[in-house]
Amino acid sequence: MKIDYAAQCRFFSAEDACRIALQAYYAATRHLEPPPGEPWMVDGDPFASATDFAEAFNGEVQARLGLLALDRLGDFHPCSVEWNIWKIAADVAPEKMAPIIAEREADHVRAMVEIFGDELNGLPPADNQVNNHQSNGVQNA
């Protein structure tokens, strides 16, 4: 018999998850509508983007889960920001995420080299062509 260790952590059902997701979806849609009388296109750009919708949806889901925890557990539990969304997505669809993660890591390395220069590679600073440090009590020249 398989033990369901996660059962002790789950405070909502699959039906609750579907209900929360639908509520969050419609609430996120309402939040992205322009104010009354304002146009959807502003100077040729839309009032909101796909990223705006995804962020609004995510925030709505997290808020609703926190409120459900307040009702069922007696305390508001904000969703942890410690979850690594990149890793979760890579676990779900590694073939899709591999090039995205590789590009993100390459961008990070380029940024670090811009900031720290050759120090990132363990090389001495450019103004110190001879790496003078003590090794085994003997000074190098």
Side-chain angles (χ1 to χ4, degrees):
M1 181 170 151
K2 184 177 177 188
I3 298 172
D4 184 5
Y5 293 104
Q8 63 185 345
C9 303
R10 285 192 301 261
F11 63 93
F12 60 93
S13 66
E15 291 80 15
D16 291 329
C18 291
R19 180 179 47 78
I20 288 169
L22 280 173
Q23 289 173 344
Y25 178 86
Y26 291 118
T29 300
R30 282 191 306 275
H31 289 303
L32 295 182
E33 294 174 358
E38 295 292 322
W40 174 254
M41 297 297 284
V42 179
D43 295 330
D45 293 325
F47 179 77
S49 68
T51 301
D52 295 329
F53 180 73
E55 288 176 356
F57 177 76
N58 184 27
E60 290 289 335
V61 167
Q62 289 188 32
R64 282 171 167 68
L65 284 175
L67 291 169
L68 188 62
L70 179 62
D71 287 343
R72 297 197 178 159
L73 305 175
D75 193 10
F76 185 86
H77 292 279
C79 293
S80 173
V81 294
E82 297 301 317
W83 290 99
N84 186 337
I85 302 302
W86 295 90
K87 182 182 179 327
I88 294 170
D91 289 344
V92 172
E95 66 284 348
K96 290 181 182 177
M97 289 303 295
I100 294 170
I101 291 173
E103 182 180 334
R104 185 172 180 248
E105 288 176 355
D107 289 344
H108 177 73
V109 168
R110 282 191 288 273
M112 291 297 103
V113 168
E114 276 185 30
I115 295 169
F116 297 109
D118 286 335
E119 292 175 27
L120 191 65
N121 297 322
L123 299 175
D127 61 347
N128 182 7
Q129 296 300 321
V130 179
N131 188 8
N132 293 327
H133 63 71
Q134 290 190 359
S135 174
N136 298 328
V138 178
Q139 177 121 5
N140 294 331

